[in-house]
Amino acid sequence: MKLYFKYVGMLLRSQMQYKASFFMTAVGQFLISFTTFLSMVFMFSRFNSVKGFIFSEILICFSVVLMAFSITECFFRGFDVFPRLIKSGELDRILVRPRNEMFQVLASDMDLSRIGRLLQAVVMLIYAFITCDIHWTGYKIITVVLMILGGVAVFTGLFVLFAAFSFFTIEGLEFMNIFTDGSREFGKYPVSIYGEGMLKFYTFVVPIALFQYYPFLYLIGKSENMWYMLLPLLGFAFIIPCYAFFRYGLRKYKSTGS
Amino acid sequence: MIELKNVCKTFKVAKRNAGFGEAVKSLFCRDYTYVQALNDVSFTVNDGEMVGYIGPNGAGKSSTVKIMSGILTPDSGECIINGRTPWKDRVDHVRDIGVVFGQRSQLWWDVPVIDSFELIRDIYKVSREDYKKSLSSLTELLNLSEILKTPARQLSLGQRMRCEIAASLLHNPKILFLDEPTIGLDASSKIAVREFIKSINKQNKTTVILTTHDMQDIEALTDRILLIGKGRILLDGTLAELKKRHSAFKTITVDYTGEKLPACENYKVTKDGDGRGEIIIDTRVITASQAISFISDHVEIKDISVTGETIDETVVSLYKEFAI
Amino acid sequence: MRKYISFFRIRFIAGLQYRAAAWAGIATQFAWGGMNILMFRAFYEEGSNAFPMPFDSLSTYIWLQQAFLALFMAWFFDTEIFDSIVSGNIAYELCRPINIYNMWFTKNTAVRLSKAVLRCLPILIFAAVLPSPYGMSLPHSIGAFLLFLLSMILGFLVIVAFSMLVHATAFFTISPKGIRVLATSVIEFFSGGLIPIPFFPDWIQPVIYALPFASMQNTPFLIYTGYLSGIEALKSIGLQILWLLVLWCVGKLIFRYALKRVVVQGG
């Protein structure tokens, strides 16, 4: 843990060398998700609700997903840029150091400019909580926390999976965007609006419904099932197979000729 | 002690053909070729030895080093280093080794070198005292005191390479792998790096395995060389042996007055004309003095010089001999 | 001109080499389009009278968008160009007997085209066999189809011309990455990449149509679906031509000015 903070310290010092770039990128990040937000506002100015959810409820869902995604992107960036680590040979360096590979990949990069997105998610969430009439209880506060944590876990799993695939194909990686960027993009609405089939897909295959749909139903009072509150914890289990696949890929790793 | 036994490694490479039609065709089916990077490689290196590992590009040098440092897993064969298999006990194994990739940096680009060193100390869990000791001796030997506070991106290539080597030795490894450590350096930096490698090999008894294209590195540093080509170990012996075997050939350059150099079945005239000629002799067939006296019987010699093969030429002729 | 064609050809073939990338892209875009259509369906079921275009037209719009994504993608910038400007290597490019703006313009079109050619057919075919109203429908009329083709070419050139301006900002800032992210989100949003422009609130639409972004993917797709027809369609095409000329000229001027500065500074 101490070593991780050392790494973070180094990264911060490196990034501070490029303040202007950092600032611009953060603003850009903000703008990207802000346009998504705007398009939702536009849609809801034509239609008042979708599948029984009103705008402020949808906004809770969107901000939880965005928050989880930007936290993951910020701290697990090493997996996001993993193909670059392979290409540049940095992975070779990681492998000749006496520490766990996952840890080193994790510590190798951090992108604080994602704070632009995170900030927006926080503002949206606060706004949504004010405009939405949720009957707050202690359980519901826990639910919100668990939703965010579970979201980080699921996205982390997806990022690790993405990194694992880059051992086998670099060019073909684009298809993983369906799961990573796609989950962020389409997770802005409760996944049930895409139909029964997609709900099943997002429950059992790419389990984002575990943190953005079921506990969300409990949160806004559409369901009384208390178990839904705990479902995000299952998101942590999702990391296990992803990690196993990463280990498998590492054994097949063939480095780049130098 | 490093022991490799029958190590094999194959890579699958997609074939890419030229032309528009071929490009379209390859969308649907693609041919692969299998490249045998290592084919039954076996050798042993004892503690404290310094070994030069040479071979043309793509011969399998890097693959071998990567297997020995635990980066790659071979398809078959055994590799035991200090009682461990690198890719199985990766973490324990790499604690004992240091690796320098000449073309890549392990220093953080934007922060002072000393901060990179501190982080490496934490990564390798080196104790304060040991770190201080090795840092001060490295600083002295590599003359780093003035550049430690500089960010890596502002260093010259030579300065950076010295820091890279220091970074790989902070944890006092038993074995040091150097992958082209002098690539791109100027003459004085090269000499400094060589001197240093020599001294840590002597003082700390560090085993050094060096891959390089620079024959002067080999000449200056190693007694033993391993020649690899097309994934096979072609030659394992001392530099002297290699030279003996291949420096049997000598070139005699003659300035003379007369028609032309006499032909003889014991040597070969490679160049001749305008009173200057070149002859290559095989000293196992004919000695230089015999050849000279034979020539002087036919023409009047004005000047003469006899040169042996340089090490570069030796290696090139070795490559030719093994057809790689 | 010959040199641009052969340059184009090389880039094009290089683009074709990426087989796995092409298949992955097709799969991704198919999933993306499908999810978008499902999302709009949810809204459509909520109130079809608030829908600015019929549902099957919308599906067609989305499939066209996915099929020709590579032509109109907002996030594609040539990092080679950025790097050569930032590192100063551009000075070497100046040694070649070729106009830099034209060369990079050609390169950008070639990369986009090679990607699009590979991807569009499978997606269009898939989309065409999907059941109505989720699939792709035929163009409104033959005339509309011809206008669509013309408008596609224009829209394609407009986005490349615009992206050249974004590339040019690298001459003047040390942080091209920030500009890139910024430009991407602006283009994406205002060109109708997130939701089609007809879905924007009515009061804002006249403003949007006046911007260059509406002349990118928006115009050809709306012509194809019949949302824009007759004199409206012709007007939009006129606007595209206007924007293309403006962006092209501004781009050339900026490059000329910036390159002069590079030469003065000694690269």
Side-chain angles (χ1 to χ4, degrees):
Chain A
M1 206 58 203
K2 206 181 113 210
L3 183 60
Y4 180 70
F5 286 115
K6 284 247 181 175
Y7 268 106
V8 171
M10 291 283 261
L11 290 168
L12 281 182
R13 291 175 59 187
S14 301
Q15 290 193 358
M16 281 308 118
Q17 305 259 337
Y18 307 98
K19 285 197 198 82
S21 176
F22 169 80
F23 184 70
M24 289 285 277
T25 317
V27 172
Q29 295 290 351
F30 179 84
L31 217 67
I32 283 191
S33 44
F34 186 70
T35 51
T36 310
F37 168 76
L38 262 190
S39 65
M40 285 172 88
V41 173
F42 289 174
M43 288 302 279
F44 278 92
S45 70
R46 282 184 186 270
F47 314 91
N48 294 318
S49 63
V50 61
K51 293 274 161 119
F53 299 107
I54 57 165
F55 183 53
S56 53
E57 289 168 343
I58 297 275
L59 214 49
I60 294 178
C61 189
F62 180 34
S63 46
V64 164
V65 169
L66 194 63
M67 203 181 287
F69 190 82
S70 42
I71 292 173
T72 316
E73 252 190 328
C74 177
F75 294 103
F76 296 82
R77 171 106 179 129
F79 293 99
D80 201 15
V81 296
F82 195 73
R84 199 184 71 196
L85 295 188
I86 291 185
K87 243 187 176 166
S88 70
E90 258 176 273
L91 185 64
D92 290 355
R93 177 53 64 189
I94 283 175
L95 287 172
V96 297
R97 292 211 159 124
R99 294 282 180 155
N100 179 282
E101 315 83 32
M102 294 292 267
F103 168 77
Q104 288 190 71
V105 174
L106 179 70
S108 71
D109 204 351
M110 207 173 95
D111 189 357
L112 283 178
S113 67
R114 307 287 160 168
I115 209 149
R117 270 186 185 170
L118 188 62
L119 205 71
Q120 188 196 349
V122 172
V123 173
M124 284 195 316
L125 194 64
I126 292 170
Y127 174 78
F129 283 156
I130 295 170
T131 52
C132 198
D133 40 304
I134 295 174
H135 298 287
W136 287 102
T137 61
Y139 291 123
K140 293 208 168 169
I141 294 173
I142 296 172
T143 309
V144 175
V145 175
L146 285 182
M147 280 168 81
I148 295 168
L149 289 180
V152 173
V154 171
F155 281 125
T156 303
L158 287 172
F159 276 39
V160 172
L161 202 62
F162 171 82
F165 270 108
S166 55
F167 284 117
F168 302 97
T169 167
I170 293 275
E171 307 170 8
L173 269 182
E174 193 184 332
F175 94 98
M176 271 305 289
N177 287 356
I178 302 175
F179 305 115
T180 51
D181 289 346
S183 297
R184 183 202 64 218
E185 217 32 56
F186 299 110
K188 64 192 177 200
Y189 295 105
V191 285
S192 64
I193 74 154
Y194 302 106
E196 198 59 35
M198 289 319 286
L199 178 61
K200 284 211 179 85
F201 175 81
Y202 279 124
T203 306
F204 298 108
V205 185
V206 179
I208 66 170
L210 292 183
F211 72 90
Q212 68 91 270
Y213 180 65
Y214 301 109
F216 167 74
L217 290 183
Y218 172 71
L219 185 70
I220 60 172
K222 286 229 156 103
S223 161
E224 292 302 316
N225 191 340
M226 290 271 287
W227 287 110
Y228 281 180
M229 179 177 107
L230 297 175
L231 274 181
L233 294 176
L234 269 183
F236 285 88
F238 177 64
I239 299 180
I240 298 168
C242 300
Y243 176 67
F245 188 53
F246 182 86
R247 297 296 313 213
Y248 173 72
L250 194 61
R251 271 210 307 283
K252 298 269 162 202
Y253 171 56
K254 50 181 186 184
S255 188
T256 47
S258 76
Chain B
M1 174 102 148
I2 301 173
E3 247 189 308
L4 268 80
K5 262 191 215 146
N6 316 104
V7 171
C8 296
K9 178 87 190 168
T10 323
F11 293 119
K12 188 168 131 183
V13 183
K15 261 195 217 160
R16 297 217 157 142
N17 300 319
F20 185 79
E22 290 293 333
V24 174
K25 208 183 93 194
S26 74
L27 281 174
F28 302 100
C29 66
R30 182 167 281 180
D31 300 330
Y32 292 96
T33 39
Y34 290 85
V35 177
Q36 188 122 45
L38 294 177
N39 184 4
D40 199 16
V41 168
S42 311
F43 59 83
T44 311
V45 178
N46 289 317
D47 289 343
E49 250 191 298
M50 174 122 73
V51 178
Y53 198 39
I54 54 174
N57 284 328
K61 294 189 305 279
S62 288
S63 298
T64 320
V65 171
K66 280 174 182 163
I67 285 173
M68 289 190 288
S69 47
I71 295 170
L72 286 181
T73 312
D75 300 336
S76 64
E78 246 181 74
C79 170
I80 310 279
I81 296 177
N82 293 334
R84 296 193 201 95
T85 305
W87 57 92
K88 285 186 188 142
D89 301 311
R90 192 185 67 76
V91 171
D92 285 328
H93 166 66
V94 295
R95 223 186 284 283
D96 287 344
I97 64 167
V99 189
V100 176
F101 296 112
Q103 317 201 40
R104 294 178 194 148
S105 178
Q106 60 171 317
L107 302 169
W108 272 256
W109 199 238
D110 294 309
V111 295
V113 175
I114 187 75
D115 290 318
S116 293
F117 284 4
E118 290 276 339
L119 187 65
I120 289 167
R121 180 189 85 84
D122 286 319
I123 292 172
Y124 283 92
K125 297 183 188 157
V126 182
S127 73
R128 271 271 160 227
E129 299 96 78
D130 290 349
Y131 172 71
K132 252 191 191 157
K133 235 177 22 201
S134 55
L135 182 65
S136 67
S137 84
L138 287 168
T139 311
E140 194 190 327
L141 280 169
L142 284 164
N143 200 9
L144 298 178
S145 52
E146 271 157 36
I147 51 178
L148 279 180
K149 296 256 159 63
T150 321
R153 71 183 134 93
Q154 291 169 10
L155 297 177
S156 73
L157 196 57
Q159 289 173 324
R160 216 183 69 213
M161 185 48 68
R162 269 150 49 206
C163 294
E164 295 282 348
I165 293 175
S168 302
L169 287 166
L170 282 170
H171 58 292
N172 215 346
K174 293 190 193 114
I175 302 171
L176 179 63
F177 296 108
L178 297 161
D179 196 0
E180 305 189 24
T182 57
I183 196 161
L185 300 188
D186 61 33
S188 70
S189 304
K190 272 185 190 176
I191 290 169
V193 167
R194 282 179 202 142
E195 281 307 311
F196 172 75
I197 296 171
K198 219 186 261 176
S199 72
I200 56 146
N201 174 253
K202 281 238 170 62
Q203 285 171 17
N204 306 359
K205 298 269 167 287
T206 309
T207 311
V208 177
I209 293 185
L210 173 83
T211 77
T212 186
H213 286 294
D214 189 335
M215 284 308 143
Q216 289 171 336
D217 283 353
I218 300 285
E219 216 156 354
L221 290 172
T222 63
D223 289 329
R224 180 176 166 200
I225 55 164
L226 283 166
L227 176 74
I228 185 170
K230 291 226 170 121
R232 284 173 180 279
I233 297 286
L234 300 175
L235 200 121
D236 180 353
T238 64
L239 191 61
E241 267 174 59
L242 176 77
K243 274 191 162 171
K244 208 190 283 165
R245 200 167 145 188
H246 277 273
S247 55
F249 295 96
K250 293 213 187 306
T251 308
I252 303 176
T253 314
V254 198
D255 286 315
Y256 62 92
T257 37
E259 271 285 287
K260 71 194 267 247
L261 290 176
C264 173
E265 56 193 18
N266 289 333
Y267 60 69
K268 214 163 82 193
V269 180
T270 49
K271 263 187 229 159
D272 196 9
D274 291 335
R276 190 186 177 92
E278 238 179 57
I279 292 161
I280 292 184
I281 57 163
D282 184 342
T283 49
R284 286 165 301 192
V285 182
I286 182 173
T287 65
S289 58
Q290 283 170 336
I292 293 169
S293 71
F294 179 72
I295 295 167
S296 63
D297 289 348
H298 293 81
V299 294
E300 191 185 328
I301 298 176
K302 286 201 302 194
D303 190 15
I304 196 157
S305 68
V306 182
T307 44
E309 220 174 19
T310 66
I311 180 112
D312 280 304
E313 288 163 339
T314 311
V315 169
V316 171
S317 62
L318 259 181
Y319 290 168
K320 272 197 198 127
E321 187 180 328
F322 291 108
I324 50 179
Chain C
M1 201 59 207
R2 270 269 310 257
K3 55 194 173 193
Y4 294 113
I5 292 174
S6 76
F7 187 70
F8 183 90
R9 198 167 155 269
I10 288 173
R11 283 285 150 191
F12 193 80
I13 289 176
L16 287 184
Q17 295 285 1
Y18 297 103
R19 172 176 73 140
W23 288 119
I26 290 166
T28 310
Q29 280 156 35
F30 206 69
W32 216 266
M35 287 302 283
N36 256 321
I37 288 173
L38 289 177
M39 182 198 86
F40 278 106
R41 185 186 65 175
F43 281 100
Y44 186 78
E45 285 167 359
E46 206 63 30
S48 55
N49 49 346
F51 230 61
M53 50 165 76
F55 190 65
D56 57 341
S57 296
L58 177 83
S59 299
T60 306
Y61 180 99
I62 288 175
W63 289 126
L64 283 172
Q65 192 178 36
Q66 294 303 327
F68 299 108
L69 187 74
L71 288 188
F72 296 107
M73 54 193 171
W75 58 89
F76 173 76
F77 295 110
D78 199 326
T79 41
E80 237 175 84
I81 298 182
F82 280 114
D83 291 346
S84 94
I85 293 175
V86 172
S87 67
N89 281 342
I90 182 148
Y92 298 112
E93 303 275 352
L94 288 172
C95 304
R96 297 200 212 179
I98 201 166
N99 181 299
I100 291 199
Y101 182 86
N102 294 353
M103 183 179 76
W104 282 348
F105 197 97
T106 314
K107 186 178 167 197
N108 205 302
T109 41
V111 174
R112 284 169 184 267
L113 255 183
S114 66
K115 283 192 175 159
V117 163
L118 286 181
R119 294 169 186 209
C120 71
L121 262 186
I123 295 175
L124 290 178
I125 292 169
F126 273 132
V129 298
L130 280 179
S132 169
Y134 302 113
M136 179 93 191
S137 34
L138 290 172
H140 210 62
S141 64
I142 298 227
F145 184 69
L146 293 176
L147 283 182
F148 159 75
L149 285 182
L150 173 66
S151 173
M152 272 275 280
I153 296 168
L154 287 170
F156 175 46
L157 295 176
V158 169
I159 188 161
V160 177
F162 191 88
S163 83
M164 292 313 288
L165 291 185
V166 179
H167 286 113
T169 56
F171 284 113
F172 308 101
T173 165
I174 43 162
S175 164
K177 188 184 166 200
I179 301 264
R180 212 155 58 199
V181 177
L182 224 99
T184 303
S185 51
V186 170
I187 299 175
E188 178 89 345
F189 183 63
F190 287 111
S191 67
L194 292 178
I195 53 172
I197 294 179
F199 282 83
F200 283 42
D202 298 329
W203 54 271
I204 209 175
Q205 288 197 25
V207 185
I208 306 279
Y209 276 116
L211 296 173
F213 311 108
S215 292
M216 294 168 183
Q217 51 176 309
N218 170 68
T219 309
F221 296 167
L222 289 186
I223 289 176
Y224 184 98
T225 56
Y227 186 88
L228 285 178
S229 57
I231 200 82
E232 284 286 308
L234 290 175
K235 258 202 250 168
S236 309
I237 289 180
L239 197 62
Q240 283 187 302
I241 296 174
L242 184 72
W243 273 120
L244 180 59
L245 287 176
V246 170
L247 293 172
W248 170 275
C249 291
V250 172
K252 282 234 157 188
L253 283 176
I254 291 184
F255 266 71
R256 191 178 301 166
Y257 168 73
L259 287 174
K260 225 179 253 164
R261 234 177 44 144
V262 168
V263 174
V264 170
Q265 286 175 347

